Amino acid sequence: DAGVTQSPTHLIKTRGQQVTLRCSPISGHKSVSWYQQVLGQGPQFIFQYYEKEERGRGNFPDRFSARQFPNYSSELNVNALLLGDSALYLCASSQLAGVSEQYFGPGTRLTVT
Amino acid sequence: AQKITQTQPGMFVQEKEAVTLDCTYDTSDPSYGLFWYKQPSSGEMIFLIYQGSYDQQNATEGRYSLNFQKARKSANLVISASQLGDSAMYFCAMRDSNDYKLSFGAGTTVTVRA
């Protein structure tokens, strides 16, 4: 079975631009979470979606938004990019929204110049 | 608020030896889950092992075992018979029943020497 997939793998953007990152969960998983990992730190929670509804949001500005589609794939959008948005963006899927194992994708490495 | 503490920024271990990675946590929720992930230089977070707060036995998965001491709020990961491929960053994480997110520690870098 395919694991969590993310696209693109790498991305370079300029300050002020907008970016869309994509994630496809493991087949059968209905929950998708997004995390931001700045170099040298642990991942920080951005959003969780379950059955196409937002179930949780981390301490991130409104420039960050996300959505989940009927096939449970998800997009993370970041507007008005700042240099500090440079990070590895990780998507994780799980069967349920509660306490259960989350499986991560390979991540999208975003560089903002 | 949840808090995960990993006090060892980096560790060296000889091939075939065991290594213990420390993790302490803080939560007021009696129902929670503890996770360990491995992150190689490629960046992907690889799930290793899970321990539920009500589990009576310590979790084991192959060469990985979790030393769960609930009263001390400790969830240390033990890697037995270290291999060169175990060289990576290791993260401890927690999720309680009132939250949807995983809260991660700062991580411990493990370097296995031949």
Side-chain angles (χ1 to χ4, degrees), chain A residues 35 37 40-43 45 48 55-56 88 90 94 97-106 109, chain B residues 31-33 35 37 39 41-45 47 50 91 95-97 99-102 104-106:
Chain A
Y35 292 81
Q37 187 179 19
Q41 298 181 16
F45 172 76
Q48 189 195 58
R55 293 300 186 96
L88 180 67
L90 295 162
S94 57
V99 182
S100 61
E101 295 94 281
Q102 290 190 349
Y103 296 89
F104 284 81
R109 197 168 295 276
Chain B
S31 177
Y32 53 88
F35 305 79
Y37 287 87
Q39 188 175 43
S41 56
S42 60
E44 184 173 357
M45 298 284 281
F47 167 73
Y50 166 81
F91 288 96
R95 189 175 184 183
D96 67 31
S97 63
D99 211 340
Y100 298 104
K101 68 177 185 288
L102 280 172
F104 286 83

Side-chain angles (χ1 to χ4, degrees), chain B residues 5-95:
Chain B
T5 303
Q6 294 180 256
T7 58
Q8 307 151 309
M11 297 188 70
F12 291 92
V13 59
Q14 205 64 31
E15 194 177 11
K16 299 181 184 178
E17 291 186 348
V19 62
T20 298
L21 308 184
D22 296 340
C23 173
T24 58
Y25 60 91
D26 186 26
T27 182
S28 57
D29 192 333
S31 177
Y32 53 88
L34 296 158
F35 305 79
W36 277 93
Y37 287 87
K38 171 185 177 182
Q39 188 175 43
S41 56
S42 60
E44 184 173 357
M45 298 284 281
I46 301 168
F47 167 73
L48 296 178
I49 197 167
Y50 166 81
Q51 178 85 43
S53 59
Y54 293 117
D55 293 343
Q56 296 297 314
Q57 305 275 352
N58 284 344
T60 60
E61 289 287 346
R63 294 185 299 110
Y64 304 106
S65 61
L66 199 152
N67 184 3
F68 182 45
Q69 298 186 43
K70 194 170 183 176
R72 297 179 59 185
K73 294 189 175 180
S74 168
N76 297 341
L77 177 71
V78 180
I79 306 174
S80 62
S82 295
Q83 302 171 357
L84 295 178
D86 294 335
S87 294
M89 179 78 89
Y90 289 81
F91 288 96
C92 179
M94 181 177 71
R95 189 175 184 183

